[in-house]
Amino acid sequence: MRTINIHEAKTHLSKLVDQAVAGDSFVIAKAGNPLVTVTRITRRAKPRRVGFLAGSIKVPADFDQMGRKEVELLFTGEK
């Protein structure tokens, strides 16, 4: 990874950013001391959409009661 001094980085910032986007990362240094690494950002996956299945599935009206007896048995142990 190459090192660029801060003055050169300010002068050629646009070109350096294009090179970083192309995959050529570099370090910016001041007085020979490395300060930062410049590298491209990989794109994140699109955020999930809430409700993307709306209208394509049907939820039964008694959905909140389904399996109620079985769950009660798990807690009470009674049959």
Side-chain angles (χ1 to χ4, degrees), residues 41-59:
I41 297 174
T42 56
R43 297 209 182 255
R44 297 184 184 134
K46 290 184 180 180
R48 291 184 181 186
R49 296 177 325 183
V50 175
F52 70 96
L53 290 175
S56 62
I57 61 172
K58 185 169 179 138
V59 178

Side-chain angles (χ1 to χ4, degrees), residues 17 19 21-22 29-30 34 38-40 42 44 51 54-57 61 65-67 69-70:
V17 168
Q19 290 174 357
V21 169
K30 183 175 185 179
V38 179
T39 186
R40 70 178 174 194
T42 56
R44 297 184 184 134
S56 62
I57 61 172
Q65 298 298 316
M66 293 173 63
K69 291 179 184 177
E70 291 83 358

Side-chain angles (χ1 to χ4, degrees), residues 59-75:
V59 178
D62 65 342
F63 175 77
D64 59 338
Q65 298 298 316
M66 293 173 63
R68 181 177 179 187
K69 291 179 184 177
E70 291 83 358
V71 172
E72 286 177 0
L73 287 174
L74 290 172
F75 283 97

